Amino acid sequence: MKPLYLTVTDKHIRYSYEDSDDRSTIDKVYNINAKKTLGDNLDNFKLKLPNDFDVVVILNPIDVELRDTIVSCGNQPIDMGLTMENLLHTPTVGVHDVARLGLKQAASAESEHAGWHLEYYGSYSGKRQYGQESLQTIGNGYFGLRGSYVEAKAGDDYYPGTYVAGVFNQLTTNINNRDIVNEDLVNLPNAQYMTFSIDDGDVFKMTPEMIDNVYRSLDMRTGVFTITMILSLPNGKRLKVITKKVADMKNYHNYSLQYTVQPLNFSGDMRIFSEIDGSVTNTNVERYRSFNGKHLVVDNTKVDGDRAILLAHTKHSGVNIAVGTRIQCPNIVDSELTSNRFQERISQAIAFHVVEGRTYTVEKTVSIYTSLETNSDLEFAVNDHAYHKNFADAVANSMRSWQQIWSNEDIQLSGDITAQKLLRLNEFHATVSAQQHVNQDLDASVGARGLHGEAYRGHIFWDELFILPYYTMHYPQLAKALLMYRYNRLPAAKKYAEANGYKGAMYPWQSGMYGDEQSQSLHLNPITNQWDPDNSRKQRHVSLAIAYNVWNYYNMTEDDDFIKNYGLEMLLNIAKLWISKAEYDPETKKYSINDVMGPDEFHEGYPDRKESGLDNNAYTNIMTSWLFSKVDFLIQKEPEKVVNDNYQRADFTDDNLNDMRNIGKDLKLEFNQDGILGQFEGYFKLKDIDFDYYRRQYGDISRMDRILKSEGDSPDQYQLAKQADALMALYPLKESTFMNILADMGYQIDDPQKFIKDNVNYYLQRTTHGSTLSRIVYSMLALKVNDTELSWKLFYEALTSDYYDIQGGTTAEGIHLGVMGATLNVVTSYFAGVDFRGEELSIDPHFPESWNTLTFNLVFKNAHYYFTVSKDSVTVKADHATDLSFRGKQITLNENEEKTINY
Ligand code: BGC
């Protein structure tokens, strides 16, 4: 092992390592520049380091109890372990752990630990704290419980939200004499609340200043979230408080809390409080706060000894909700429990005597039921509820569940502890957002922000396109349950099409409870603080994403029943929408699809047209042509009876089939003289923009739309994009399919490699990555043109986008589930190169230089595959005899036979 030793003080960092040539010890000092931020100092420090060490050892930790790597640096305590690992992706250990375990053992234990834990040291406030709470959310697909301190009430620094999948409510707010209706994922009663008081003192209220020291650790392997903190009260009393939370992954109505206090310098009387607070409102997103956010009406509060129950309903959607708690005090001998019922809240207090240095624990189990998934009386359901014996039992259950979950979905990576941690974080939150056995009981899909916050009001977008393949790969039945959310809203989608003068089914850009359009018509520009018109609903391509997910699910599972009973009906209806949207121009002999927006939300219309909407968006037209070919294929493939039955249900005719065949091969695309595919018709007439000018003015120009609008200008004038659009179809479609579709449409591409290269270069220069969905798509595109350096850079930015909250505050309002899913997809489908989009799996790795091995499994056409991929080999095994291909070469696998392909 090659260690790098650090001694960190407020003024300098002393570092030493062995010279790689003569093995002498090199000792150096980096002086901390007080005029620069600590972050800048550490970035500079990094540049001074050699690159051939594999463990960092901190020689002078100051707080061994919380973590062996905490130091004082630049006059503030920091966890140098976390910092160095983020900076160098190298395990970082403290000197005490090295003494205890030996260097090698300590390093390998830390690598393992880092790969499984999301941790924060120190107290934060504002959006930063909000963002960390989003990322430390626990849940089980039914509910999401934000990783807030349990002592906190909603305010500017903390937001203890609770959400149940599918529980939405609409409220009306009158703004400037206009009634604005919004449908929100409802923040449910806060039952995680616990706090304390000492002697006759006030009830402790969480503020960042009260926290002396704190470590928050989400253990993704077991699902247990732990907060360890030292509090100093203004009266000089100090205490240690340890909170643990765990969601029940199986009995999904439940979560459990353990609250332990230890008086550090006093004895006396304490009370621990527990609440179910139904007075909560939706206030997670600052810019929505001017809208009405009170969704709940509390109907009743009841207490029965250690049990309490709050019954409520949502104001408009009428969902009944019951939240029950049960309190236990495993190690408090003499305690007195009192309860207070308020109109919207129940508060219970356990009073007991404390002795300095001892620990006292209160445990609480919370159960949540709603009338959406529960047929019986909710109060009865809560009372009848099988609680865990105690918290340890809840933890044991969670560990068992997560062991099972990880054996299905873990991506094990060696060679990069940061990427390992963040890939697991993405998988963890995919599981918090939806689970197979849970979603089978629900009528819900995954929102763009998971069950983690209130941005986009919890709505469901085309982001499903980026996450569903991941679910399909590991839990096909979960993907089906999520597709059923869309199937159940087919009538609403038909209504929406009809209301807009179209046929078939038009899914809304933003979908909530009922499947009607939930996009706002106004959008707040934070630069001007003005509400600008929002035409994003014209992104009709969301229906194509749904169609793609139906097809991909079918291709990966061969679930004929699904296609017969639901899938084909959806596809025929979506196809009818596009048939009815296509218009024939006898002059050009081409079909046009007008009045749409592509994924690039910067372009809402033409500079010289009053109405919004664009003509012939390339992504939309290519995907429409692709959809038509798949629908045609299924009509030919499925038995006549199935086809007839679906024709009837979708009111689809042979004329429609003929239309589809005609339109699909003649949809209009535009190319410039250099072979660049126009994002939409007329794109090349738009002006180029001087990005450098705006970069100098504004620094971050990712939201060029807002910048331009604040200057009275419009992004519609320019060739610029928020995210991948013209080339977006290369994300869901194989390159060969993409080229074939273009050829079918009458646009033969003679040199696909050159075409992709030229187009990637062209559009990259014009894209600001204003959506987290952008970089990951371009990372994949950069791989296609062999720009591995760029691909890696964009991949890492996408991978860390929530961890570093690269949009400057949006993680506060929930995770970005789409980029999380897409990142996982790029890792397995492109880096490891296992492509599931064909008849059989095909493998073509583009393995990152700095990674060693990647191990993962997946389900494809009912067979379980196990892969280990490295820079020069692929090892594969399947539990069924199967065929696959490696870079075009056929490979046959016998059942459970392991084959290694060296490349
Ligand atoms: C992106 C959309 C995305 C939405 C929800 C927007 O910023 O431009 O593509 O669907 O966020 O994640």
Side-chain angles (χ1 to χ4, degrees):
M1 292 227 96
K2 287 199 170 159
L4 168 78
Y5 292 100
L6 305 186
T7 306
V8 186
T9 70
D10 288 328
K11 300 220 157 35
H12 61 252
I13 304 173
R14 181 178 290 282
Y15 57 110
S16 64
Y17 53 94
E18 198 175 80
D19 187 279
S20 44
D21 296 332
D22 64 7
R23 310 201 61 187
S24 61
T25 300
I26 299 182
D27 233 326
K28 290 188 173 170
V29 172
Y30 173 84
N31 288 318
I32 292 170
N33 183 341
K35 293 203 183 96
K36 294 213 156 112
T37 64
L38 193 53
D40 286 346
N41 270 297
L42 291 169
D43 283 341
N44 278 341
F45 172 58
K46 179 183 168 180
L47 300 177
K48 312 267 181 240
L49 296 176
N51 48 19
D52 58 343
F53 55 90
D54 40 29
V55 57
V56 180
V57 183
I58 308 295
L59 293 176
N60 64 333
I62 56 169
D63 186 340
V64 180
E65 198 190 336
L66 281 182
R67 200 103 161 84
D68 198 17
T69 47
I70 294 168
V71 296
S72 181
C73 181
N75 298 317
Q76 67 190 77
I78 62 165
D79 183 351
M80 200 63 178
L82 281 180
T83 311
M84 284 292 117
E85 286 177 1
N86 286 340
L87 214 58
L88 309 169
H89 315 315
T90 304
T92 302
V93 295
V95 66
H96 299 93
D97 282 342
V98 174
R100 201 162 48 85
L101 299 168
L103 184 59
K104 203 161 165 218
Q105 192 64 23
S108 105
E110 175 52 25
S111 289
E112 184 70 2
H113 178 91
W116 284 110
H117 291 79
L118 177 75
E119 303 187 313
Y120 298 106
Y121 170 65
S123 162
Y124 294 84
S125 58
K127 288 219 165 124
R128 187 110 186 248
Q129 166 68 23
Y130 263 45
Q132 294 165 356
E133 291 175 357
S134 297
L135 288 178
Q136 291 190 320
T137 294
I138 57 167
N140 53 22
Y142 176 67
F143 68 77
L145 182 75
R146 281 174 58 85
S148 183
Y149 294 98
V150 292
E151 297 86 353
K153 295 249 168 172
D156 287 340
D157 294 318
Y158 311 107
Y159 194 76
T162 310
Y163 313 98
V164 165
V167 178
F168 289 94
N169 183 60
Q170 296 191 352
L171 287 176
T172 305
T173 311
N174 191 285
I175 291 188
N176 293 342
N177 296 324
R178 273 180 59 174
D179 278 345
I180 299 185
V181 181
N182 282 310
E183 187 176 82
D184 287 85
L185 183 69
V186 178
N187 181 21
L188 294 187
N190 179 10
Q192 62 169 314
Y193 183 79
M194 293 182 88
T195 193
F196 63 86
S197 69
I198 301 168
D199 296 330
D200 291 330
D202 292 338
V203 176
F204 174 76
K205 284 200 177 72
M206 192 56 135
T207 51
E209 301 78 51
M210 296 274 198
I211 303 173
D212 236 17
N213 220 347
V214 60
Y215 213 86
R216 288 167 292 152
S217 173
L218 173 63
D219 181 345
M220 297 182 276
R221 189 193 330 230
T222 61
V224 180
F225 174 43
T226 306
I227 304 177
T228 308
M229 68 180 167
I230 310 291
L231 295 171
S232 277
L233 306 186
N235 60 12
K237 292 197 167 117
R238 300 185 79 228
L239 64 169
K240 182 170 176 181
V241 180
I242 301 176
T243 309
K244 287 180 186 286
K245 308 184 198 180
V246 68
D248 192 323
M249 304 308 287
K250 276 223 167 83
N251 186 354
Y252 55 78
H253 296 282
N254 260 358
Y255 67 86
S256 300
L257 303 172
Q258 188 188 57
Y259 195 68
T260 303
V261 295
Q262 181 185 20
L264 296 179
N265 62 354
F266 65 93
S267 298
D269 291 329
M270 274 192 81
R271 280 189 295 168
I272 290 183
F273 296 90
S274 162
E275 266 187 25
I276 312 176
D277 185 359
S279 70
V280 294
T281 55
N282 275 55
T283 53
N284 173 233
V285 179
E286 204 180 326
R287 62 192 171 280
Y288 301 167
R289 287 187 192 150
S290 50
F291 293 96
N292 196 349
K294 186 150 178 61
H295 294 279
L296 291 174
V297 179
V298 176
D299 299 311
N300 210 343
T301 56
K302 295 185 180 180
V303 174
D304 179 10
D306 58 5
R307 291 178 182 229
I309 182 165
L310 181 142
L311 300 163
H313 69 270
T314 55
K315 271 185 185 158
H316 183 265
S317 54
V319 180
N320 291 321
I321 295 152
V323 181
T325 56
R326 184 180 162 209
I327 294 171
Q328 287 169 297
C329 310
N331 71 351
I332 305 177
V333 189
D334 258 331
S335 66
E336 196 189 338
L337 174 72
T338 51
S339 302
N340 267 313
R341 290 165 52 215
F342 303 91
Q343 193 152 11
E344 295 188 306
R345 187 165 63 90
I346 306 169
S347 175
Q348 292 181 292
I350 302 124
F352 51 98
H353 185 73
V354 295
V355 175
E356 182 178 327
R358 295 222 184 128
T359 57
Y360 302 85
T361 298
V362 173
E363 296 182 352
K364 155 156 130 175
T365 310
V366 180
S367 60
I368 309 173
Y369 283 81
T370 86
S371 54
L372 289 182
E373 81 291 329
T374 309
N375 292 325
S376 58
D377 176 70
L378 295 186
E379 189 176 343
F380 175 80
V382 169
N383 287 330
D384 198 39
H385 184 82
Y387 286 102
H388 286 121
K389 282 204 297 287
N390 50 38
F391 188 77
D393 194 27
V395 170
N397 261 320
S398 176
M399 283 169 75
R400 262 197 300 278
S401 297
W402 276 104
Q403 197 176 22
Q404 182 64 43
I405 294 166
W406 288 117
S407 77
N408 278 330
E409 63 182 47
D410 192 19
I411 298 180
Q412 286 170 39
L413 167 63
S414 70
D416 184 338
I417 56 172
T418 307
Q420 172 68 88
K421 179 203 305 278
L422 297 180
L423 289 176
R424 287 210 174 108
L425 187 69
N426 292 357
E427 297 171 87
F428 184 87
H429 287 308
T431 306
V432 168
S433 304
Q435 273 202 99
Q436 181 152 291
H437 69 282
V438 179
N439 283 74
Q440 276 166 4
D441 294 353
L442 307 180
D443 178 21
S445 185
V446 283
R449 302 310 195 84
L451 294 169
H452 299 63
E454 294 165 15
Y456 286 123
R457 303 181 183 279
H459 296 160
I460 294 114
F461 288 70
W462 79 312
D463 302 44
E464 284 178 332
L465 178 76
F466 299 87
I467 184 73
L468 245 78
Y470 174 77
Y471 291 138
T472 315
M473 226 168 106
H474 298 290
Y475 308 102
Q477 291 304 308
L478 170 58
K480 178 175 169 186
L482 301 178
L483 290 172
M484 287 308 289
Y485 163 87
R486 295 296 195 173
Y487 178 77
N488 295 338
R489 283 153 188 77
L490 192 54
K494 286 189 193 170
K495 235 166 120 183
Y496 192 34
E498 196 184 343
N500 281 272
Y502 305 126
K503 300 225 162 55
M506 182 160 89
Y507 281 93
W509 174 239
Q510 297 193 27
S511 184
M513 190 141 192
Y514 310 104
D516 54 345
E517 181 60 83
Q518 286 303 324
S519 304
Q520 284 81 37
S521 47
L522 295 173
H523 180 90
L524 182 69
N525 185 340
I527 304 178
T528 56
N529 227 7
Q530 264 182 28
W531 292 87
D532 295 328
D534 181 343
N535 296 301
S536 57
R537 66 181 60 206
K538 295 225 163 152
Q539 290 182 73
R540 310 302 187 199
H541 64 83
V542 55
S543 294
L544 293 162
I546 294 165
Y548 180 83
N549 282 335
V550 168
W551 169 261
N552 187 50
Y553 168 76
Y554 175 62
N555 184 55
M556 286 184 75
T557 63
E558 296 185 322
D559 181 349
D560 273 319
D561 278 350
F562 176 77
I563 275 293
K564 240 173 18 203
N565 296 322
Y566 314 105
L568 186 53
E569 187 184 345
M570 289 165 83
L571 295 180
L572 292 175
N573 270 295
I574 297 171
K576 272 177 66 180
L577 166 74
W578 298 106
I579 296 170
S580 72
K581 271 189 77 64
E583 290 166 36
Y584 186 65
D585 177 352
E587 228 169 79
T588 58
K589 298 198 170 44
K590 283 278 178 196
Y591 286 89
S592 284
I593 292 178
N594 298 338
D595 197 17
V596 296
M597 272 175 69
D600 161 29
E601 299 191 325
F602 286 178
H603 284 99
E604 298 177 279
Y606 291 96
D608 51 356
R609 256 194 225 169
K610 246 172 86 196
E611 312 78 44
S612 63
L614 299 160
D615 302 342
N616 292 313
N617 167 251
Y619 171 69
T620 306
N621 286 10
I622 293 168
M623 291 304 289
T624 298
S625 185
W626 167 85
L627 166 70
F628 288 171
S629 70
K630 289 303 174 202
V631 172
D632 202 344
F633 170 85
L634 285 172
I635 291 173
Q636 306 313 315
K637 178 179 179 256
E638 290 298 313
E640 204 178 320
K641 188 175 163 320
V642 171
V643 173
N644 286 342
D645 180 44
N646 274 284
Y647 262 39
Q648 209 177 17
R649 277 188 281 143
D651 192 16
F652 196 90
T653 61
D654 277 342
D655 283 348
N656 292 145
L657 179 62
N658 280 335
D659 287 344
M660 243 176 40
R661 287 179 176 160
N662 290 331
I663 298 166
K665 64 179 181 43
D666 268 330
L667 273 170
K668 192 169 186 182
L669 297 178
E670 202 172 74
F671 294 82
N672 76 1
Q673 67 281 7
D674 300 324
I676 304 300
L677 171 63
Q679 190 174 304
F680 46 81
E681 193 173 348
Y683 179 79
F684 296 112
K685 290 193 193 128
L686 304 182
K687 295 183 270 189
D688 265 325
I689 194 160
D690 181 357
F691 282 119
D692 287 341
Y693 167 80
Y694 290 96
R695 244 180 236 121
R696 280 196 299 275
Q697 299 268 104
Y698 292 91
D700 177 6
I701 57 160
S702 54
R703 293 306 303 261
M704 266 310 284
D705 56 333
R706 293 175 177 162
I707 292 175
L708 290 169
K709 285 177 182 171
S710 76
E711 295 190 344
D713 203 342
S714 160
D716 288 338
Q717 303 264 9
Y718 302 97
Q719 291 190 20
L720 83 161
K722 181 180 184 186
Q723 64 206 92
D725 188 320
L727 302 177
M728 180 61 211
L730 278 162
Y731 180 80
L733 305 183
K734 271 173 175 286
E735 193 179 310
S736 53
T737 312
F738 179 92
M739 294 300 162
N740 288 340
I741 294 284
L742 253 58
D744 283 352
M745 292 166 83
Y747 306 101
Q748 179 74 41
I749 305 294
D750 294 331
D751 185 346
Q753 265 303 305
K754 180 173 180 325
F755 170 84
I756 295 180
K757 193 167 189 172
D758 292 349
N759 276 273
V760 169
N761 284 340
Y762 189 89
Y763 281 107
L764 253 178
Q765 285 169 30
R766 291 162 172 81
T767 303
T768 66
H769 306 301
S771 159
T772 56
L773 295 173
S774 187
R775 286 182 183 81
I776 194 65
V777 174
Y778 273 107
S779 161
M780 176 278 293
L781 289 169
L783 267 192
K784 283 193 181 296
V785 297
N786 296 323
D787 192 341
T788 45
E789 206 175 305
L790 177 66
S791 169
W792 180 248
K793 177 177 172 285
L794 292 169
F795 168 78
Y796 233 86
E797 284 169 8
L799 179 68
T800 52
S801 54
D802 270 325
Y803 190 48
Y804 291 133
D805 191 8
I806 60 170
Q807 291 186 331
T810 60
T811 305
E813 304 161 351
I815 55 158
H816 295 79
L817 190 60
V819 65
M820 287 187 165
T823 305
L824 294 168
N825 186 34
V826 165
V827 167
T828 55
S829 298
Y830 287 91
F831 289 168
V834 179
D835 190 335
F836 48 69
R837 293 171 298 182
E839 270 292 300
E840 58 188 23
L841 292 180
S842 58
I843 312 169
D844 180 11
H846 294 82
F847 208 74
E849 250 325 288
S850 57
W851 288 1
N852 296 336
T853 57
L854 204 56
T855 302
F856 60 96
N857 52 32
L858 61 93
V859 192
F860 183 75
K861 303 205 185 215
N862 302 312
H864 285 83
Y865 289 79
Y866 305 85
F867 284 97
T868 297
V869 182
S870 72
K871 268 178 275 266
D872 45 26
S873 72
V874 175
T875 300
V876 53
K877 188 174 93 171
D879 64 357
H880 287 37
T882 182
D883 289 329
L884 38 81
S885 68
F886 183 86
R887 296 192 170 154
K889 204 171 128 233
Q890 260 332 98
I891 291 167
T892 300
L893 279 183
N894 296 321
E895 184 180 321
N896 289 323
E897 180 196 6
E898 188 174 278
K899 266 199 181 157
T900 297
I901 305 140
N902 295 311
Y903 70 96

